[in-house]
Amino acid sequence: MAAGPMKMRAILGSGYTDVRVLMNHPMETGQRKDAEGKLVPMHFIQNLTVKVNGKTVVDAQVSQAVSRNPVFSFRLKGGAKGDKIEVAWHDNHGESNSTEAAVA
Amino acid sequence: MKLAALGFAAALAVPAQAQDAAKEIQRYRQMVAEGSPAELFELEGEALWKKPQGPKNASLERCDLGEGPGVLKAAYAHLPRYFKDADRVMDLETRLLHCMTTLQARTREEATKRVFGSADRPSEFESLSAYIAGQSRGAKIEPGMAHAKEKASYELGRALYLQRVGAWDFSCASCHGDEGKRIRMQELPVLQKPEAARAVMASWPAYRVSTSQFITLQWRMNDCYRQMRTPEPTFGSETTVALIHFLTVTARGETYHGPGNKR
């Protein structure tokens, strides 16, 4: 599956920034069988990074335990209006996608 | 005496547990709603709305959903309604199919080949419904009720809701007719009551967490009839539209806040 859309919101609080990102991904565990009884191969997001103005602030390892079409939210210390937030994921098939938004 | 006291305690404990479960389900729903993938379907639907397709290689951007060609704002909240060009009452999906066969000159057969999708591949109608319904957030639900055919459609929907049919002699009201009924842990709303219909209709179509699919009202009618063991209703038929019309009219006045989330 080609990487589907991603959607992100970054909202400034007092002294922190809340980032919420939705992503489109099948997140196959490798345990499920298809209609013919064959195992559906593992396909899941392995790595997730969040950058603020180019500096990595979150580098997360993600496993099959996360549901399909996952949503991740983070609370980052500080931040200011207009800061550029980038979120990118890489999966075990080598596919990746990223999105960016300015803090509002 | 001791036994009797125990029995009494057990009898008291059951409703408390049911209440706790209802509260936990409420909490779960809230958590799910906070990160609803419905927004992803809205994005896909927007791309599809603008994508040229069919023999005429036209997009759906000139599709008239009742508010004028291409006007999406509050269009969903005012459906189903009567359309003069088709001389019938249409809900969103039926109208989209009409636009696909007219604007894009696609055949009905081709356009309805895959009306309900899967988790891996949503159908066109599902993504488009998500996008268009999203443009009605904050609008008052006000389906057509002025034209004679609109009134007839509402009456037909109401009659169908109560009509027992099929091998199991079920009607919609068999499950959705009494207060306090449940199917497993799911409470069944009494949909002929406005207070119940409002909350339901203001959140359809919706993302269904358990199947990772976006589900539409045509799907809901189709699947309820499957559960009632009747022959499969035709997509966009007078029957399914009338039922959706009846439910939407019952819910009128409510502010639309979907696309929602289902368990």
Side-chain angles (χ1 to χ4, degrees), chain A residues 5 24, chain B residues 38-49 60 92-93 96 100 114-118 121-135 205-206 213-216 259:
Chain A
N24 198 314
Chain B
E39 290 180 33
L40 296 173
F41 289 85
E42 288 183 40
L43 290 175
E44 273 176 32
E46 184 176 3
L48 209 48
W49 176 256
L60 290 169
L92 173 61
E93 288 157 89
L96 283 172
M100 287 173 188
R114 201 165 166 281
V115 287
F116 308 127
S118 65
R121 205 155 65 90
S123 81
E124 268 184 273
F125 290 95
E126 288 159 352
S127 302
L128 286 168
S129 295
Y131 170 55
I132 295 160
Q135 307 298 309
Q213 271 172 282
F214 194 83
I215 47 177
T216 65

Side-chain angles (χ1 to χ4, degrees), chain A residues 3-4 9 16 21 42 60 71 74 77 90 97 102:
Chain A
R9 256 181 233 130
Y16 60 85
V21 55
M42 282 196 272
V71 55
F74 313 94
K77 237 188 227 169
H90 293 268
N97 198 3

Side-chain angles (χ1 to χ4, degrees), chain A residues 14-53:
Chain A
S14 54
Y16 60 85
T17 308
D18 276 331
V19 177
R20 225 189 61 184
V21 55
L22 261 166
M23 46 196 86
N24 198 314
H25 202 281
M27 298 299 285
E28 283 295 348
T29 60
Q31 312 249 20
R32 221 163 53 87
K33 287 176 179 165
D34 63 13
E36 278 114 58
K38 277 185 277 181
L39 278 179
V40 180
M42 282 196 272
H43 187 195
F44 61 96
I45 295 175
Q46 253 178 339
N47 188 266
L48 184 75
T49 53
V50 182
K51 287 181 184 173
V52 180
N53 294 330

Side-chain angles (χ1 to χ4, degrees), chain B residues 80 89 143-145 150 153-154 241-250:
Chain B
V89 175
M145 244 328 234
E150 287 169 342
S153 165
Y154 168 82
V241 172
L243 272 170
I244 293 167
H245 194 191
F246 164 65
L247 296 173
T248 317
V249 169
T250 310

Side-chain angles (χ1 to χ4, degrees), chain B residues 37-89:
Chain B
E39 290 180 33
L40 296 173
F41 289 85
E42 288 183 40
L43 290 175
E44 273 176 32
E46 184 176 3
L48 209 48
W49 176 256
K50 295 174 178 164
K51 182 181 160 193
Q53 286 197 91
K56 285 198 186 165
N57 200 28
S59 75
L60 290 169
E61 286 165 297
R62 299 297 298 159
C63 181
D64 184 355
L65 297 170
E67 302 291 305
V71 180
L72 293 177
K73 194 150 176 56
Y76 177 70
H78 300 157
L79 288 165
R81 68 198 289 172
Y82 174 77
F83 286 91
K84 209 170 172 192
D85 54 7
D87 191 32
R88 62 169 287 201
V89 175

Side-chain angles (χ1 to χ4, degrees), chain B residues 34-222:
Chain B
E34 278 168 12
S36 171
E39 290 180 33
L40 296 173
F41 289 85
E42 288 183 40
L43 290 175
E44 273 176 32
E46 184 176 3
L48 209 48
W49 176 256
K50 295 174 178 164
K51 182 181 160 193
Q53 286 197 91
K56 285 198 186 165
N57 200 28
S59 75
L60 290 169
E61 286 165 297
R62 299 297 298 159
C63 181
D64 184 355
L65 297 170
E67 302 291 305
V71 180
L72 293 177
K73 194 150 176 56
Y76 177 70
H78 300 157
L79 288 165
R81 68 198 289 172
Y82 174 77
F83 286 91
K84 209 170 172 192
D85 54 7
D87 191 32
R88 62 169 287 201
V89 175
M90 290 172 153
D91 69 332
L92 173 61
E93 288 157 89
T94 313
R95 188 64 188 170
L96 283 172
L97 178 58
H98 176 85
C99 286
M100 287 173 188
T101 54
T102 53
L103 293 176
Q104 299 182 325
R106 294 162 65 182
T107 61
R108 189 192 153 88
E109 196 193 2
E110 183 268 326
T112 56
K113 215 172 207 162
R114 201 165 166 281
V115 287
F116 308 127
S118 65
D120 290 319
R121 205 155 65 90
S123 81
E124 268 184 273
F125 290 95
E126 288 159 352
S127 302
L128 286 168
S129 295
Y131 170 55
I132 295 160
Q135 307 298 309
S136 278
R137 264 189 294 264
K140 281 252 182 315
I141 295 177
E142 216 46 78
M145 244 328 234
H147 194 274
K149 288 212 174 175
E150 287 169 342
K151 284 180 191 143
S153 165
Y154 168 82
E155 287 303 331
L156 174 65
R158 199 163 70 125
L160 284 165
Y161 187 85
L162 301 166
Q163 180 68 48
R164 303 178 76 147
V165 288
W168 284 3
D169 202 22
F170 259 53
S171 72
C172 305
S174 302
C175 296
H176 294 282
D178 294 312
E179 292 290 354
K181 272 197 181 169
R182 282 195 336 213
I183 181 162
R184 292 186 224 136
M185 283 308 289
Q186 184 83 18
E187 287 152 40
L188 293 165
V190 182
L191 292 170
Q192 71 266 43
K193 291 201 170 166
E195 55 277 26
R198 278 186 200 130
V200 170
M201 299 312 285
S203 63
W204 275 84
Y207 180 78
R208 189 173 212 185
V209 179
S210 56
T211 56
S212 313
Q213 271 172 282
F214 194 83
I215 47 177
T216 65
L217 277 169
Q218 281 289 336
W219 175 85
R220 181 67 276 169
M221 299 306 132
N222 184 290

